[in-house]
Amino acid sequence: MCRQEIALKKEKKIHTETEERKTFFENAQLNGSRGENTLTLSEKFFELNMVTGKGLSALSFPYLWMEKAEVLIQLGLYQPARLLLSEAHAATQELRAPYEVSRCLYLFAVLANLERNHGQAQALLEKAQLLGGNEWFWYNSTLSLIEAILEEEGEGKQSMACEILERTVNVLRSTLLKRPNRQSELGFIITSLQARKTLIQVHFAQDCITVNAESCQVPRMLQESYNKLVQLEEDFFHCGHKNCSAEILLERANIHRMIAKQERNEKHSHYLDAYNLAQRAVSETEEVFHNVCSLFAVNETTNISIPLMRQLANRKINLVEILLDIFNLVITEKKLEKVGEASSHKIVEAFIRGTIEDDATEQDWKRMECTVGHITLAQLANLQSLCKGCPDIKSKCLYLTGKTLHLLAINADPVHSEMYWKSNVMEEAKSDIAKSFLTSAECSEQEVTDSSFPTNKCQYDKHRRKIQELKKEHRLARKYLSQSSEALLQCMGIAFSHNITNVLASASFEMVECFQQFDPVSTSHFLALHQSCSASMMMERILLTATSNTSSSQLAALLHLQNHLKQNRNTSDLLKNVEQQLIATSMAWRNLCIPVEHFNIMDELPSNFYIVILQHSKDRSNLYSSLIEKPKAGTAQQKGKPAQLTVQAKISRFPVNPDTFCVLLEKVRVYKQQKMKSQLKQTVIQNLQECVSKTDLTPTDKKDDNGHDLTSDFTEILEMMEEYLKPVLSQIDFSDIGEQRTSVSAPESGKTKVKDKETKHTTMHGTPLDLGLCVVLLGDTLLMELPLEALSIFKEEGISSVSRDFSLQILYNRIYLAKSETEVKTGVEISKETKLKAHQKKNVKTAPVNRDLPSNCLPVDTHNFKYIVDPYNEGREAEAVSPSQKIKEILEKYHDLFTLKWEGVVGNIRVPSQAEWEQLLTNCSAFLFYGMERFMSHILLNRLAAMNIPNLMRSKQSHQRITKSDIHKSCLRIAIERPTETAVLLSLTGVRSIIANQWYTTLQENAERLEIFSESLLNIGRTTGQTVHILQKSKIHRERDSIKMEADSHSSPGDKGEEQTIHTSSNLPATHPSFFNCVLYGLPNIMMM
């Protein structure tokens, strides 16, 4: 109907008012008359139907569509909004209304920003601004353009955004001079744009302080921006915009809070300023909120959550966080005073200050010391009424309540909180009590005789009163602690129900501090939960970066829509529907979700898993560790008791130096960089040699091109890492593992011999039934950058494997998905078994591998391997050790029993397409990538993230010439192609086990590793963990003839391989870097069947 009406108007050419508007739109410039004309036009937009006398005219529909589309965008309904905008854009173009066209383009740009198509948004906004609009159009379009610029990568984006804002402000100021009667409206727009510019500068300075706190220019930049904020806050307040004034006050408060954390002196004044400013911001927001609520009846706003209410709640939360920082500082200073460490410092500080103003500040601080806990609880109690319908705010409120009560417990407890983290604190207390009982009889007689003296009696009464007072304080601390635990558990219940991972991470960490050494198993549960939540947030950030192009897949669009709704409208039904769709369609999203069953994971782990959790605190000043294992079931069964496998845990917390850890990370980064340069130089030299087969096979990575000893650098890294982790490593004891293994392996060896006799003609070499201990390292993101497998503690006999993973949740998901897949395929495998037996009679060479799967192991079908080798045939110069030649030898060597049904693409034949990559990855039991560059550089990240890969994946990387392919990539894209980030993405897609290199290596080393893997995994039948662990203990730079491992009928293959490993690795130091380049992410108990 709208299109017909437009066509009719065109035919009759009755456009008197339309022609006037068109003339105005073509000739108007950005001046003060725009507002009046626009208001006149807006009255004509919505006209009644002249024929019927009711309803809107068809020509008014485009304007109604734009209004409706803007509301739909705010609700997160992007697709209906896009359809309405498309129709409105076409109609306004037909009407030749450039201002309305520009508004459509602006709304399209808003959509593009929300869908992270920032380049498209910039193009749309530039086109819209050429058409023009009123002052509010320029205000909104400028802010959208700034958002698009800041969200894109590149240097200088902050300065570019500030220049655009300054240019727009200058134009609006010239408009204000011409139309002074528009002071209130234009003044607010100008002040808002200036505030946006200043906040960009403030956030940039804060980021610089975070990166480099010692820079001398950053404080000056921050002070200039802070002074501008003071003036902007006054301008907003005088204009009557108290809500905006409160926002600026809160920004000023956060600046003081950040400076207080960075500064060593004047902490008190900065924290007090932050508290006063935040309190003013909350008061102004409360005033605005009560004014709004006064417009409605009381019963109309009972169960309604309006945006202003949520804004007030978030500002109160910010105020409470500042109060908790003050409370932490008060407790720290109080504890230091007790031990006498802060006395001299305070005397000097008091002498230096000595002014009336500073004395007033100290008096305010003393009053704050006495009341900070109660003020915090009062603010939190007031916050409860603002949590209606907002589970995220309610959970955050409960978390802050629990944290406040915990701080009150610490403050009231006469015992220093550090004492509860000592491993032997309970034993020492019991011994002290026993000693006191032994000496009580001796002391009693002397007390009776001495009690007659007044001095001794008074002293005795004084000590007794002191003891009673300490007991009373301790009981009060226990009450606070129990109330804190209850509040935190309620918070965690809400966070579990609504998938609020960030609050769940904070609450679980606070529970770790509450339980401490009193209950090691429960403390380990909460520490593992905290690590799982932290890992989930880290992996979600990587996943969002990998799926930044929302038009590439359904997963990318849903992920970014969920992220936007979570930040803005977390109570909407649309958010629940989006999350349900993600759970149903995406393996990556299911791996990110933390279920309440997380507390049962430890009970369901294999009995031979030894979990080592390493987690830094947020400021990296403390290192938490938890050692989790299951006791052997054999002891209980021998006594005739039912087997009850309970979890044993050992929890500890040690203070560490963050600067030392930063130096260690920097050394690792520099080592990898030097390794890359050395390998690239050696590659060029090797390609110039005429005969590659006659080159020296000794380790080529010992020195770089400048003669620098890389092996000594690696040794230095190991020594520094051992020293840094020394407190944690002292808690680990593997001394009894060798004895247990010897006692268990004796009867099993007899069974193996009998079994070998029975299956002599059908089995290959037998299966190593004794899997030994599987150590699984669960470290935080930064610890994953270190070569943790090289620690000396893991060289103990009896350790079968040392693998790593990101969290207990991810480790469990790998096992659970593998088991569920095995159960689904059980019926299919049984039906196939008869067919295989019939086929064996016709062709003996295709007989299946006759291995018995040990307990706690997961099978992988060796006949469903897929591979992609050297996709661009870049290693063709080194013929003897080229990937194409090596995979050909492997396929021929194991053709009869293993590689007959393998499928894949070799680069010397053709370059695989993206469709072949996806097909091979999603339809395999194991995947081998053996190439010259990073695995992620060959495949589209957004396509990989959308895959569901439920099986094992092996990634063999030989990073030789990556710099050429990195030229056209963004920094974020290169960052998520690194080894750890690659393992994260593959883990999210459902991969159970990943074997990958951590730094650059040579073709010769990779060829040797592939041969060892093939022999160990396929021929001998070791698990993935055993294979990688043996590789880490062996010398890979040796002649190919020494790699052949023949199984001995009188000894297990695992022992035989270890003996050969020890024999062949005698020429190299035990800590050679090449041993620990290859690591295992995921399950160590996967076996080829």
Side-chain angles (χ1 to χ4, degrees):
M1 185 174 65
C2 177
R3 294 175 181 175
Q4 293 176 359
E5 190 70 21
I6 293 173
L8 184 62
K9 286 279 185 181
K10 276 189 172 183
E11 291 175 2
K12 294 182 179 180
K13 295 183 179 180
I14 307 175
H15 296 299
T16 305
E17 296 179 358
T18 306
E19 288 296 330
E20 292 177 359
R21 286 203 304 270
K22 183 175 69 174
T23 304
F24 169 75
F25 288 148
E26 290 176 353
N27 299 325
Q29 301 294 329
L30 185 61
N31 50 39
S33 63
R34 283 178 179 165
E36 294 181 20
N37 290 324
T38 304
L39 291 174
T40 305
L41 290 174
S42 64
E43 294 172 358
K44 297 180 180 180
F45 283 172
F46 299 103
E47 297 177 348
L48 291 176
N49 192 330
M50 301 300 296
V51 178
T52 61
K54 58 182 180 180
L56 286 177
S57 171
L59 294 179
S60 300
F61 284 173
Y63 313 111
L64 180 62
W65 293 338
M66 284 187 284
E67 296 291 338
K68 187 176 180 181
E70 190 170 4
V71 175
L72 290 173
I73 291 173
Q74 294 175 0
L75 294 175
L77 302 172
Y78 301 154
Q79 190 60 26
R82 189 185 303 280
L83 294 176
L84 288 175
L85 287 176
S86 299
E87 290 293 331
H89 183 253
T92 51
Q93 282 184 321
E94 291 292 333
L95 289 172
R96 295 185 179 180
Y99 278 17
E100 283 67 46
V101 173
S102 66
R103 190 186 177 198
C104 284
L105 293 175
Y106 157 71
L107 292 175
F108 273 126
V110 172
L111 268 177
N113 270 334
L114 291 172
E115 294 175 348
R116 304 195 62 82
N117 297 324
H118 303 298
Q120 181 185 3
Q122 291 184 49
L124 289 168
L125 288 168
E126 290 172 0
K127 186 177 179 181
Q129 289 182 349
L130 290 176
L131 297 174
N134 63 354
E135 291 84 0
W136 286 106
F137 163 78
W138 282 97
Y139 171 72
N140 293 322
S141 62
T142 301
L143 290 181
S144 294
L145 182 59
I146 296 305
E147 180 185 357
I149 291 173
L150 293 177
E151 288 295 329
E152 286 215 324
E153 297 180 37
E155 297 181 356
K157 58 184 181 181
Q158 289 87 0
S159 58
M160 184 188 302
C162 291
E163 289 176 4
I164 293 174
L165 287 168
E166 187 64 30
R167 209 162 43 236
T168 307
V169 167
N170 292 334
V171 174
L172 290 172
R173 278 177 177 166
S174 63
T175 304
L176 181 59
L177 293 176
K178 297 177 183 179
R179 304 294 297 178
N181 59 334
R182 306 277 308 279
Q183 170 66 38
S184 59
E185 185 177 6
L186 291 176
F188 169 73
I189 293 175
I190 292 172
T191 307
S192 297
L193 293 176
Q194 287 178 328
R196 185 73 181 98
K197 174 188 172 183
T198 307
L199 290 178
I200 290 173
Q201 295 171 344
V202 168
H203 295 158
F204 177 72
Q206 288 176 340
D207 293 339
C208 292
I209 290 178
T210 304
V211 175
N212 184 13
E214 298 179 357
S215 177
C216 57
Q217 296 182 354
V218 174
R220 182 176 57 83
M221 293 169 51
L222 194 59
Q223 185 61 42
E224 293 176 357
S225 301
Y226 182 84
N227 296 334
K228 293 179 183 177
L229 287 178
V230 175
Q231 183 61 42
L232 290 170
E233 185 269 324
E234 293 178 358
D235 294 342
F236 275 128
F237 188 82
H238 292 314
C239 291
H241 296 276
K242 293 184 178 180
N243 198 26
C244 297
S245 173
E247 184 179 356
I248 300 298
L249 284 172
L250 207 59
E251 288 289 342
R252 290 173 56 193
N254 290 330
I255 291 175
H256 280 288
R257 181 187 179 191
M258 187 197 66
I259 294 175
K261 290 182 177 180
Q262 298 287 338
E263 291 284 340
R264 294 185 178 180
N265 300 321
E266 299 183 359
K267 284 180 175 289
H268 295 177
S269 61
H270 283 296
Y271 270 129
L272 288 174
D273 290 340
Y275 167 68
N276 293 327
L277 290 170
Q279 194 175 34
R280 282 179 55 192
V282 169
S283 299
E284 291 185 6
T285 310
E286 282 181 336
E287 184 179 350
V288 177
F289 174 68
H290 291 313
N291 290 337
V292 172
C293 290
S294 64
L295 301 175
F296 303 95
V298 178
N299 57 351
E300 292 180 357
T301 58
T302 304
N303 296 318
I304 296 177
S305 174
I306 61 176
L308 188 58
M309 181 187 294
R310 297 191 291 272
Q311 194 175 57
L312 175 60
N314 288 322
R315 288 175 181 174
K316 278 183 174 289
I317 287 174
N318 200 333
L319 172 62
V320 169
E321 289 174 346
I322 293 173
L323 285 168
L324 289 178
D325 286 346
I326 295 175
F327 203 0
N328 266 316
L329 182 59
V330 168
I331 292 173
T332 303
E333 291 179 348
K334 181 180 177 182
K335 299 299 182 184
L336 290 176
E337 286 178 4
K338 284 185 177 181
V339 296
E341 293 178 5
S343 57
S344 60
H345 174 73
K346 284 201 166 187
I347 291 172
V348 174
E349 186 179 353
F351 178 77
I352 293 174
R353 290 197 304 264
T355 60
I356 298 176
E357 182 180 358
D358 289 333
D359 289 341
T361 301
E362 284 305 309
Q363 290 177 4
D364 292 341
W365 182 259
K366 289 179 180 178
R367 285 192 293 268
M368 180 63 72
E369 286 180 346
C370 301
T371 59
V372 60
H374 302 289
I375 293 174
T376 307
L377 288 178
Q379 292 289 345
L380 289 169
N382 195 345
L383 188 59
Q384 293 288 338
S385 60
L386 303 175
C387 300
K388 301 169 185 176
C390 300
D392 60 328
I393 298 177
K394 187 174 182 179
S395 62
K396 191 70 177 289
C397 177
L398 287 170
Y399 158 67
L400 294 174
T401 303
K403 186 174 183 179
T404 305
L405 291 168
H406 184 213
L407 291 177
L408 285 169
I410 295 175
N411 189 45
D413 198 343
V415 181
H416 199 287
S417 59
E418 296 291 334
M419 295 296 296
Y420 295 119
W421 278 107
K422 290 187 177 181
S423 57
N424 56 349
V425 63
M426 300 305 295
E427 289 75 5
E428 291 179 357
K430 291 178 181 179
S431 63
D432 292 341
I433 292 173
K435 291 178 181 179
S436 65
F437 278 126
L438 292 175
T439 57
S440 61
E442 301 175 1
C443 295
S444 59
E445 295 181 1
Q446 188 173 358
E447 288 177 0
V448 172
T449 56
D450 294 342
S451 62
S452 58
F453 297 98
T455 306
N456 293 334
K457 186 176 181 180
C458 292
Q459 189 176 5
Y460 174 77
D461 293 339
K462 181 181 178 181
H463 288 319
R464 187 174 62 180
R465 286 194 300 269
K466 183 65 175 177
I467 291 172
Q468 294 297 328
E469 183 181 349
L470 293 176
K471 288 183 177 180
K472 183 179 179 181
E473 291 176 355
H474 186 70
R475 286 194 298 268
L476 178 62
R478 295 299 96 186
K479 289 181 180 179
Y480 279 137
L481 196 60
S482 63
Q483 293 172 0
S484 172
S485 301
E486 182 179 354
L488 290 171
L489 288 175
Q490 291 179 13
C491 161
M492 293 172 65
I494 297 174
F496 272 123
S497 301
H498 296 86
N499 195 26
I500 310 174
T501 309
N502 58 339
V503 178
L504 186 59
S506 303
S508 56
F509 184 77
E510 201 67 27
M511 288 295 291
V512 171
E513 289 292 340
C514 288
F515 276 86
Q516 298 171 328
Q517 290 278 356
F518 295 109
D519 187 354
V521 175
S522 298
T523 309
S524 299
H525 278 296
F526 289 112
L527 181 62
L529 177 60
H530 169 72
Q531 188 181 65
S532 294
C533 295
S534 302
S536 176
M537 292 187 289
M538 176 269 296
M539 297 171 105
E540 184 178 6
R541 289 192 295 269
I542 294 176
L543 185 62
L544 288 172
T545 304
T547 57
S548 57
N549 184 8
T550 56
S551 60
S552 61
S553 64
Q554 182 188 28
L555 172 65
L558 289 175
L559 278 174
H560 287 277
L561 176 59
Q562 188 274 342
N563 186 48
H564 174 71
L565 294 175
K566 195 82 172 177
Q567 295 176 355
N568 297 278
R569 300 186 65 254
N570 51 8
T571 59
S572 64
D573 293 334
L574 178 61
L575 176 61
K576 297 178 182 177
N577 295 334
V578 170
E579 290 182 347
Q580 289 176 0
Q581 191 170 0
L582 282 170
I583 291 174
T585 58
S586 173
M587 175 76 70
W589 181 258
R590 290 196 294 271
N591 279 320
L592 291 176
C593 296
I594 310 294
V596 71
E597 292 80 12
H598 191 281
F599 294 106
N600 300 326
I601 289 178
M602 294 182 185
D603 297 327
E604 300 182 19
L605 292 177
S607 59
N608 63 328
F609 274 28
Y610 189 91
I611 308 297
V612 180
I613 298 177
L614 300 174
Q615 182 70 34
H616 280 102
S617 59
K618 190 174 181 180
D619 58 354
R620 295 201 297 241
S621 61
N622 288 308
L623 178 60
Y624 295 80
S625 69
S626 178
L627 313 176
I628 306 168
E629 63 176 336
K630 281 187 176 182
K632 298 297 181 181
T635 307
Q637 291 178 351
Q638 288 176 2
K639 295 180 180 180
K641 298 179 181 180
Q644 296 179 355
L645 290 179
T646 57
V647 174
Q648 294 180 351
K650 186 184 294 185
I651 189 76
S652 59
R653 187 191 77 176
F654 299 99
V656 292
N657 190 349
D659 296 333
T660 303
F661 188 63
C662 290
V663 172
L664 179 58
L665 290 176
E666 180 64 18
K667 284 182 176 294
V668 174
R669 186 192 66 81
V670 171
Y671 170 77
K672 293 180 179 180
Q673 188 175 10
Q674 290 178 348
K675 181 75 172 176
M676 176 193 67
K677 295 178 180 178
S678 175
Q679 296 298 342
L680 291 176
K681 183 178 178 65
Q682 291 172 14
T683 301
V684 175
I685 295 174
Q686 289 178 2
N687 290 338
L688 295 176
Q689 294 177 351
E690 296 181 358
C691 185
V692 179
S693 60
K694 296 182 180 180
T695 58
D696 186 12
L697 295 177
T698 56
T700 55
D701 62 338
K702 192 166 186 177
K703 292 186 178 181
D704 62 4
D705 51 350
N706 297 324
H708 186 71
D709 193 352
L710 296 180
T711 304
S712 63
D713 285 351
F714 188 77
T715 304
E716 183 182 355
I717 290 172
L718 293 187
E719 292 175 355
M720 192 173 181
M721 183 174 63
E722 292 269 3
E723 183 64 26
Y724 182 79
L725 297 175
K726 185 177 180 180
V728 176
L729 300 178
S730 63
Q731 304 292 316
I732 304 176
D733 185 15
F734 293 133
S735 60
D736 58 337
I737 296 176
E739 299 176 0
Q740 292 179 4
R741 186 187 181 196
T742 304
S743 61
V744 173
S745 60
E748 286 184 350
S749 61
K751 295 179 182 178
T752 306
K753 291 179 182 180
V754 175
K755 193 171 192 179
D756 289 340
K757 292 179 181 179
E758 294 176 355
T759 59
K760 184 176 181 180
H761 300 288
T762 57
T763 56
M764 295 170 47
H765 294 286
T767 304
L769 297 179
D770 180 20
L771 297 180
L773 192 71
C774 297
V775 178
V776 182
L777 301 173
L778 304 180
D780 56 38
T781 309
L782 294 176
L783 282 171
M784 285 292 186
E785 299 295 328
L786 305 179
L788 298 173
E789 291 81 0
L791 292 169
S792 59
I793 192 70
F794 300 131
K795 297 177 182 178
E796 295 285 343
E797 293 297 328
I799 297 179
S800 173
S801 67
V802 181
S803 60
R804 54 172 63 186
D805 217 327
F806 302 100
S807 67
L808 195 65
Q809 169 72 15
I810 297 297
L811 179 66
Y812 173 76
N813 283 349
R814 298 182 200 267
I815 301 174
Y816 173 76
L817 294 174
K819 285 185 177 180
S820 62
E821 182 189 359
T822 304
E823 291 172 359
V824 170
K825 292 185 177 181
T826 301
V828 180
E829 290 174 354
I830 293 174
S831 62
K832 288 182 178 180
E833 187 176 354
T834 55
K835 296 181 180 179
L836 286 172
K837 289 181 179 180
H839 188 62
Q840 291 171 19
K841 297 179 180 178
K842 298 180 180 179
N843 190 355
V844 181
K845 292 184 179 180
T846 58
V849 180
N850 191 359
R851 287 197 186 111
D852 291 331
L853 184 69
S855 60
N856 295 332
C857 279
L858 300 172
V860 166
D861 184 12
T862 54
H863 299 296
N864 194 24
F865 268 51
K866 303 293 189 298
Y867 58 86
I868 290 182
V869 176
D870 199 6
Y872 297 100
N873 197 25
E874 295 171 327
R876 57 184 176 274
E877 291 86 359
E879 296 180 1
V881 292
S882 67
S884 301
Q885 178 63 28
K886 199 63 189 176
I887 193 65
K888 181 180 178 182
E889 295 175 3
I890 296 296
L891 293 175
E892 293 176 352
K893 182 177 180 180
Y894 302 101
H895 178 269
D896 294 340
L897 291 173
F898 297 104
T899 64
L900 181 62
K901 296 184 180 180
W902 286 20
E903 297 178 5
V905 178
V906 182
N908 61 358
I909 300 176
R910 71 176 188 279
V911 178
S913 64
Q914 284 296 319
E916 287 179 309
W917 276 96
E918 295 180 23
Q919 184 180 6
L920 293 174
L921 279 169
T922 53
N923 298 291
C924 65
S925 61
F927 182 84
L928 170 66
F929 171 69
Y930 184 21
M932 300 292 290
E933 295 182 357
R934 296 188 290 258
F935 171 74
M936 290 297 181
S937 66
H938 294 278
I939 189 170
L940 297 176
L941 289 179
N942 45 27
R943 298 297 300 165
L944 176 67
M947 294 180 189
N948 295 334
I949 310 175
N951 297 305
L952 165 71
M953 180 158 188
R954 282 182 51 217
S955 176
K956 290 296 299 157
Q957 304 173 21
S958 177
H959 312 283
Q960 293 283 334
R961 294 184 290 147
I962 196 61
T963 53
K964 182 179 179 180
S965 61
D966 287 345
I967 295 175
H968 304 290
K969 295 179 183 177
S970 64
C971 296
L972 286 177
R973 171 63 190 265
I974 296 174
I976 60 178
E977 288 182 4
R978 293 180 300 191
T980 304
E981 286 74 10
T982 299
V984 166
L985 286 174
L986 293 175
S987 301
L988 285 176
T989 57
V991 177
R992 293 183 290 177
S993 184
I994 305 162
I995 302 174
N997 290 336
Q998 296 299 289
W999 54 78
Y1000 290 81
T1001 185
T1002 62
L1003 282 173
Q1004 176 68 27
E1005 289 177 356
N1006 253 1
E1008 297 285 352
R1009 285 195 187 104
L1010 182 61
E1011 197 164 345
I1012 292 175
F1013 283 148
S1014 303
E1015 182 71 19
S1016 183
L1017 290 172
L1018 299 178
N1019 199 24
I1020 298 179
R1022 292 193 181 99
T1023 62
T1024 51
Q1026 289 174 332
T1027 300
V1028 174
H1029 191 57
I1030 287 176
L1031 182 67
Q1032 291 169 351
K1033 295 167 63 177
S1034 67
K1035 170 189 172 184
I1036 65 169
H1037 303 283
R1038 59 178 177 265
E1039 299 292 342
R1040 185 170 297 133
D1041 295 338
S1042 66
I1043 303 174
K1044 297 179 180 179
M1045 293 177 269
E1046 299 293 337
D1048 191 357
S1049 61
H1050 300 288
S1051 62
S1052 66
D1055 297 336
K1056 184 73 175 179
E1058 291 178 4
E1059 290 175 3
Q1060 292 186 4
T1061 295
I1062 296 170
H1063 178 71
T1064 55
S1065 61
S1066 59
N1067 296 330
L1068 282 180
T1071 57
H1072 196 273
S1074 60
F1075 296 167
F1076 306 101
N1077 187 7
C1078 193
V1079 299
L1080 170 63
Y1081 291 90
L1083 299 182
N1085 57 342
I1086 291 181
M1087 179 176 287
M1088 309 302 159
M1089 300 295 291

